[in-house]
Amino acid sequence: MVQQLQLSIGDKAFQELNEALEHGVSPELRRMLNGLPAPDAAHLLESSPPKLRSLLWRLIDREMEGDVLQELSDEVRQFFLDRMNVAELKAITEGQDVDDIADLLQQLPGTITRKVLDSMDSQDRQRVEVVLSYPEDTAGGLMNTDVITIRPSSTLDVVLRYLRRHQDIPEMTDSLFVVNRRDEYIGALPLSVLLTTDPSATVFEVMQTDLKPIAADMEDSQVAQVFERRDLVSAPVISENGQLLGRITIDDVVDVIREEAEHSMMSMAGLDDDEDTFAPALKTARRRAVWLGINLITAFIAASVIGMFQATIDKVVALAVLMPIVAGMGGNAGGQALTLVIRGMALGQISRTNLKWLLSRELMAGFLNGILWAALVSLIAYLWFRDPIISMVIACAMVINLSTAVIVGASLPVILKSMKIDPALAGTIILTTVSDVVGFLSFLGLATLFYS
Amino acid sequence: MVQQLQLSIGDKAFQELNEALEHGVSPELRRMLNGLPAPDAAHLLESSPPKLRSLLWRLIDREMEGDVLQELSDEVRQFFLDRMNVAELKAITEGQDVDDIADLLQQLPGTITRKVLDSMDSQDRQRVEVVLSYPEDTAGGLMNTDVITIRPSSTLDVVLRYLRRHQDIPEMTDSLFVVNRRDEYIGALPLSVLLTTDPSATVFEVMQTDLKPIAADMEDSQVAQVFERRDLVSAPVISENGQLLGRITIDDVVDVIREEAEHSMMSMAGLDDDEDTFAPALKTARRRAVWLGINLITAFIAASVIGMFQATIDKVVALAVLMPIVAGMGGNAGGQALTLVIRGMALGQISRTNLKWLLSRELMAGFLNGILWAALVSLIAYLWFRDPIISMVIACAMVINLSTAVIVGASLPVILKSMKIDPALAGTIILTTVSDVVGFLSFLGLATLFYS
């Protein structure tokens, strides 16, 4: 049954290795592991509990370690980086792309980063330092510096001969970038144009200027939107004064898109998007304790609201039976509004111009559902307890709570974001608090009025 | 404040248009709208409430409609498709990629699809029919049929001259595909190799065979994993007997990745991942009603558990005050386990070999947090109500409920998936039911034992 969950990427080697694993360590296992492409070996490490993970890591050949580390998620990578000395760190950066080296170095303590940088040759060091000078979550932090540049005055024939002198061109090169004498980006020459145009044409004549360069300080989520909208494979990154600094490729953007999309879901459960699925129990428990502790405060706030109405509950115990329904339905309705708006914001759909419409739509939808379910719940409550007061009170409380919850759910992400607070993380907690408090307060409060 | 939420993709035109919009319809507005790249116009439509959306759509030029439709999400696109006649539908498919036409046609009723197909020339129709013969969520449904194929015996020089006879080559072509006489895929010639190798070499000598072709019936989520792992820009799609059918490009895979990542978050709130952010209130209310109705059943199940213990609550009303804490904390802890496992499954990390470890880790982490928070809640409960029994009972109930909830949360996705039920959608509801029922049952049940 669970068998079919096994990842099958059409790579038999991966499955065979997984089977070999069940029979313990062997030279055969080592051979198979090191025969895997680095991303698959990394995936195997990420899918392994701690002990097995350390064991597998020791089996990986030195020269493969750097490639595997690049493919690991931050948290798992950190574990291995922490256990390496400077010489080992130097070794794994060799032959890596500049942006990947920068990623690694950013995870190390400052003094060690310095030591590794000092050990690199000056050209490489300079390149890495350029990338390191930009925050990790900007275009500058994402970019690579391996760019083939050409001059506008060259003919395509010259460009073709120039390329032929290369052993290889950088991966994901779909365009060559055209720069002027001051190294300023002025256009792009797609390989497709290079291959289909008369070689006697000059670069200037056929280059495309509609591929807008990306500013080095653009946020990575915006870079992702540009790539998605324009269906780009690579794009030039420029400095403030227009100089070409490097190039961003779609493979790095895909990682941004996945992380961003996962972030909201994980945050809503108080998890980090980089969370190691196979972290040890103690670490897991410690991390989650924080989130549970915050939720406990919420729970006690709700409890204290109930506490105010103990006398009423003592009089009509049916209130205790029904009160979680009011609170819960508010939480569910609000959660839908919250999730929809968080997704809309991630897609860049929510703005000043449409927010008002969205909020009134949510209020209307929440109110309609409030009426609908209030009627049903009210009927069931009456049939259950044969008490018209309780039946009427729960109906009013549900309409109040559902309407409040959807308005809070829909507006929270916008308010939190403008305060630079993560909407997914804080939004869920605040919404729960509000729907519990308003739910209990309206239901028990109205009941107290009518039963006194 | 909200201003800064405005999407800024470095495209001034987009912002200007948004401002022009506030001043009503004008020829200027029409000109600006039609001057936008199609993806931006589509984004503007998606970010607009219904009335404005229809208005903008009417302003879009006929020849741009097809491009804009391609970029819309299914639900918004459906709205416009439903309002088009066959002649309009024919017009918008002209000049579109085969995979995009297939996407459109799949959204139309069968009879209309047939009419549009009949109106196409026979070569185009055949191509679209090939793509239509595969389900939308498979490699076959994702692929495009515009592929440049070459023969292994040609020299690179011949290939270069062949390319130069093209006006243009298909977008995102980073490799030419090599086929034998039976049209079977045998390898790929990356443009980078073509450009850096001596033109007298034959294709056979320099082609790469490590780019494995993708079977047409592979699920799109697996295709996405292959692209992510191998950092691909394009990949060949083959039929069962090895014949080259077409090619998948990264731009379509990026859409799959984003939809997949969004799907879990939206499902957990009972929303469709294709949900229109600006759907009208009535439509929104109707859709959400289903989810709220199911949650109401859950809520009544929980209420009926409480109902069994009315006598005990009547005796000790403090139980009613504290019971939501026990249920809520279980729901939170279980939700974390559920989310982590759903993400792990999406990443292909969970398998038969590591599931047992994962479940015992979750149980251990849940138990540890149970003990920790039980101790604190027990203390607070004692200080609040000065009743050692209630203090002890709530501690036991919390350990029971947190441990149960994490085990249920962690195992549900795996069980549901093996039953082909969406883990995110059903998992959240079942988990809430379990954590409420177990929470109320253990807390009120134990209390009944000790107070009787």
Side-chain angles (χ1 to χ4, degrees):
Chain A
M1 168 194 100
V2 188
Q3 182 76 53
Q4 75 199 62
L5 289 173
Q6 183 72 50
L7 176 83
S8 135
I9 54 165
D11 205 338
K12 257 196 149 178
F14 190 86
Q15 285 186 2
E16 282 170 14
L17 189 117
N18 229 328
E19 280 158 27
L21 251 174
E22 288 173 33
H23 301 106
V25 182
S26 66
E28 174 67 3
L29 181 73
R30 172 177 239 135
R31 195 191 54 72
M32 283 165 73
L33 182 63
N34 287 290
L36 287 181
D40 292 358
H43 180 74
L44 192 70
L45 287 174
E46 301 234 8
S47 309
S48 301
K51 265 191 193 166
L52 178 60
R53 186 182 284 169
S54 298
L55 176 95
L56 287 171
W57 177 251
R58 282 199 303 275
L59 293 178
I60 289 175
D61 293 341
R62 268 292 142 89
E63 50 279 24
M64 194 175 164
E65 283 181 353
D67 291 337
V68 173
L69 273 182
Q70 292 305 348
E71 303 288 340
L72 292 174
S73 61
D74 284 359
E75 189 176 324
V76 179
R77 181 159 62 193
Q78 189 75 58
F79 177 85
F80 295 121
L81 286 178
D82 289 347
R83 280 150 190 78
M84 290 181 148
N85 59 38
V86 175
E88 286 169 324
L89 289 168
K90 278 178 201 168
I92 56 160
T93 58
E94 268 160 38
Q96 300 291 334
D97 285 346
V98 167
D99 58 337
D100 294 333
I101 298 176
D103 271 0
L104 272 187
L105 294 184
Q106 255 148 354
Q107 282 195 279
L108 299 172
T111 50
I112 296 182
T113 301
R114 202 60 254 164
K115 280 183 192 164
V116 177
L117 277 173
D118 288 341
S119 76
M120 296 169 76
D121 75 48
S122 69
Q123 198 190 12
D124 282 353
R125 184 172 60 234
Q126 272 176 9
R127 286 181 176 164
V128 173
E129 278 170 346
V130 169
V131 177
L132 279 177
S133 71
Y134 294 98
E136 217 181 340
D137 58 351
T138 61
L142 272 182
M143 75 182 174
N144 217 319
T145 53
D146 57 342
V147 185
I148 300 187
T149 57
I150 51 177
R151 286 295 163 86
S153 54
S154 313
T155 62
L156 299 193
D157 196 43
V158 169
V159 174
L160 285 167
R161 275 186 281 129
Y162 170 68
L163 285 180
R164 218 169 291 296
R165 285 206 302 274
H166 285 71
Q167 270 290 5
D168 200 2
I169 57 180
E171 275 179 37
M172 307 239 161
T173 296
D174 63 329
S175 287
L176 308 177
F177 296 146
V178 189
V179 293
N180 63 16
R181 283 173 197 282
R182 290 186 301 278
D183 256 348
E184 290 162 0
Y185 172 81
I186 54 173
L189 177 69
L191 297 188
S192 58
V193 171
L194 178 63
L195 286 165
T196 54
T197 313
D198 178 2
S200 65
T202 66
V203 169
F204 186 78
E205 285 165 358
V206 296
M207 73 179 187
Q208 297 184 348
T209 51
D210 56 350
L211 173 62
K212 295 270 179 301
I214 290 174
D217 58 359
M218 186 187 268
E219 271 180 46
D220 58 359
S221 58
Q222 289 205 323
V223 173
Q225 283 186 359
V226 173
F227 267 74
E228 274 194 85
R229 295 263 189 89
R230 300 283 173 268
D231 287 344
L232 302 179
V233 171
S234 71
V237 178
I238 57 166
S239 67
E240 268 176 31
N241 45 31
Q243 277 174 323
L244 183 67
L245 292 174
R247 160 182 101 97
I248 296 179
T249 51
I250 182 73
D251 52 330
D252 294 321
V253 174
V254 166
D255 293 342
V256 172
I257 292 171
R258 170 151 328 255
E259 274 164 29
E260 219 187 34
E262 272 174 8
H263 173 80
S264 299
M265 175 178 79
M266 296 291 273
S267 284
M268 283 179 122
L271 298 169
D272 193 277
D273 52 47
D274 205 55
E275 188 116 358
D276 176 7
T277 309
F278 293 93
L282 210 63
K283 196 173 178 186
T284 305
R286 208 168 46 220
R287 281 212 183 153
R288 297 198 188 162
V290 181
W291 168 258
L292 292 173
I294 296 169
N295 274 288
L296 188 60
I297 298 172
T298 291
F300 267 109
I301 294 173
S304 68
V305 173
I306 304 173
M308 290 157 48
F309 300 102
Q310 289 184 63
T312 312
I313 296 173
D314 218 7
K315 219 185 282 176
V316 190
V317 76
L319 294 173
V321 176
L322 296 172
M323 65 184 186
I325 296 176
V326 181
M329 288 294 280
N332 286 323
Q336 294 195 302
L338 182 81
T339 305
L340 191 79
V341 174
I342 286 176
R343 203 245 345 210
M345 283 185 8
L347 296 177
Q349 291 176 340
I350 319 275
S351 69
R352 190 169 43 93
T353 40
N354 57 29
L355 185 64
K356 219 178 105 188
W357 186 92
L358 194 66
L359 290 181
S360 55
R361 196 273 318 269
E362 284 299 328
L363 182 59
M364 180 60 92
F367 183 72
L368 287 174
N369 266 311
I371 298 274
L372 171 69
W373 297 113
L376 185 70
V377 169
S378 164
L379 179 70
I380 298 175
Y382 182 74
L383 295 177
W384 192 350
F385 296 105
R386 300 282 167 187
D387 177 346
I389 295 182
I390 214 167
S391 177
M392 181 202 60
V393 164
I394 200 166
C396 295
M398 277 193 69
V399 175
I400 294 171
N401 201 28
L402 263 76
S403 305
T404 314
V406 291
I407 274 295
V408 171
S411 52
L412 260 183
V414 180
I415 297 168
L416 289 170
K417 186 152 183 201
S418 75
M419 295 164 71
K420 305 215 177 291
I421 299 174
D422 181 357
L425 190 72
T428 319
I429 298 174
I430 299 176
L431 177 66
T432 309
T433 314
V434 170
S435 60
D436 280 359
V437 168
V438 173
F440 294 139
L441 201 61
S442 56
F443 182 56
L444 298 176
L446 285 172
T448 305
L449 274 181
F450 284 97
Y451 284 114
S452 64
Chain B
M1 168 196 101
V2 188
Q3 182 74 60
Q4 73 198 65
L5 290 173
Q6 184 69 54
L7 177 84
S8 137
I9 54 163
D11 204 337
K12 256 194 150 181
F14 189 84
Q15 284 185 5
E16 281 170 14
L17 188 115
N18 229 327
E19 280 158 29
L21 252 172
E22 288 173 34
H23 302 105
V25 182
S26 65
E28 173 67 5
L29 182 74
R30 172 177 238 135
R31 195 191 56 72
M32 283 166 76
L33 182 62
N34 288 290
L36 286 181
D40 291 359
H43 180 73
L44 192 70
L45 287 174
E46 301 233 8
S47 310
S48 300
K51 265 191 196 166
L52 179 59
R53 188 183 282 168
S54 299
L55 175 93
L56 288 172
W57 177 250
R58 283 199 303 275
L59 292 178
I60 289 175
D61 292 341
R62 268 291 142 87
E63 50 280 25
M64 195 176 166
E65 283 182 352
D67 291 337
V68 173
L69 273 182
Q70 291 306 345
E71 303 287 339
L72 292 174
S73 61
D74 285 357
E75 189 177 324
V76 179
R77 182 160 59 194
Q78 188 75 59
F79 177 84
F80 294 121
L81 287 179
D82 288 347
R83 279 151 191 78
M84 289 180 149
N85 59 37
V86 176
E88 287 170 324
L89 289 168
K90 277 179 201 167
I92 56 162
T93 58
E94 267 159 39
Q96 299 292 336
D97 285 346
V98 167
D99 57 338
D100 293 334
I101 298 175
D103 271 0
L104 273 187
L105 294 184
Q106 256 147 354
Q107 281 195 277
L108 299 173
T111 51
I112 296 183
T113 301
R114 200 60 256 163
K115 281 185 193 161
V116 177
L117 277 172
D118 288 341
S119 77
M120 296 170 76
D121 73 51
S122 69
Q123 196 190 15
D124 281 353
R125 185 173 57 235
Q126 270 175 11
R127 285 180 179 165
V128 173
E129 280 171 343
V130 168
V131 177
L132 278 177
S133 69
Y134 294 97
E136 216 181 342
D137 59 349
T138 61
L142 272 183
M143 75 183 175
N144 216 320
T145 52
D146 58 341
V147 185
I148 299 187
T149 57
I150 50 177
R151 286 295 163 86
S153 54
S154 313
T155 61
L156 299 193
D157 198 40
V158 170
V159 173
L160 284 168
R161 274 185 282 130
Y162 170 67
L163 286 179
R164 218 169 291 294
R165 285 205 302 274
H166 285 70
Q167 270 288 9
D168 201 3
I169 57 180
E171 274 179 38
M172 306 239 162
T173 297
D174 62 330
S175 287
L176 309 177
F177 297 146
V178 189
V179 294
N180 63 19
R181 283 169 197 284
R182 289 186 301 278
D183 256 349
E184 290 162 359
Y185 172 82
I186 54 173
L189 176 68
L191 296 188
S192 59
V193 171
L194 178 63
L195 286 165
T196 54
T197 313
D198 179 1
S200 65
T202 67
V203 169
F204 187 77
E205 285 166 356
V206 296
M207 73 179 189
Q208 294 183 352
T209 52
D210 56 352
L211 173 62
K212 296 267 179 303
I214 290 175
D217 59 359
M218 186 187 267
E219 272 179 43
D220 59 359
S221 58
Q222 289 205 323
V223 173
Q225 283 186 358
V226 173
F227 267 73
E228 273 193 89
R229 295 265 189 87
R230 301 281 173 267
D231 288 345
L232 300 180
V233 171
S234 71
V237 179
I238 57 166
S239 68
E240 267 177 30
N241 46 28
Q243 275 172 326
L244 183 67
L245 293 174
R247 156 183 104 96
I248 296 179
T249 51
I250 182 75
D251 51 329
D252 294 321
V253 174
V254 165
D255 293 342
V256 173
I257 292 172
R258 165 144 341 246
E259 275 164 27
E260 218 187 36
E262 272 173 7
H263 172 80
S264 301
M265 176 177 79
M266 296 291 274
S267 284
M268 283 177 122
L271 299 169
D272 193 276
D273 51 44
D274 206 54
E275 187 114 0
D276 176 6
T277 309
F278 294 93
L282 210 63
K283 194 172 179 188
T284 305
R286 209 167 44 221
R287 282 212 181 151
R288 296 199 189 161
V290 181
W291 168 256
L292 292 173
I294 296 170
N295 274 287
L296 187 61
I297 299 173
T298 291
F300 268 108
I301 294 173
S304 68
V305 173
I306 304 174
M308 290 157 48
F309 300 102
Q310 289 184 64
T312 312
I313 296 173
D314 218 7
K315 216 184 284 174
V316 190
V317 76
L319 294 172
V321 176
L322 296 173
M323 65 186 187
I325 296 176
V326 181
M329 288 295 278
N332 286 322
Q336 294 195 301
L338 182 80
T339 305
L340 192 80
V341 173
I342 286 176
R343 203 245 344 211
M345 281 183 10
L347 295 177
Q349 290 177 339
I350 318 275
S351 67
R352 191 168 42 93
T353 39
N354 56 30
L355 186 63
K356 218 178 106 189
W357 187 91
L358 195 66
L359 291 180
S360 56
R361 196 275 316 272
E362 284 299 328
L363 182 59
M364 180 60 93
F367 183 73
L368 286 173
N369 266 313
I371 298 276
L372 171 69
W373 298 112
L376 185 69
V377 169
S378 162
L379 179 70
I380 298 174
Y382 181 76
L383 295 176
W384 193 348
F385 296 103
R386 301 283 168 185
D387 176 345
I389 295 182
I390 215 168
S391 175
M392 183 202 60
V393 164
I394 201 169
C396 294
M398 279 195 65
V399 175
I400 293 171
N401 201 27
L402 263 76
S403 305
T404 315
V406 292
I407 274 295
V408 171
S411 52
L412 259 182
V414 180
I415 296 168
L416 290 170
K417 185 153 184 195
S418 75
M419 295 163 71
K420 305 215 178 289
I421 299 173
D422 181 357
L425 190 73
T428 318
I429 297 175
I430 301 177
L431 177 65
T432 308
T433 315
V434 171
S435 60
D436 280 359
V437 168
V438 174
F440 294 139
L441 200 61
S442 57
F443 182 54
L444 299 176
L446 285 172
T448 306
L449 273 181
F450 284 97
Y451 284 114
S452 63

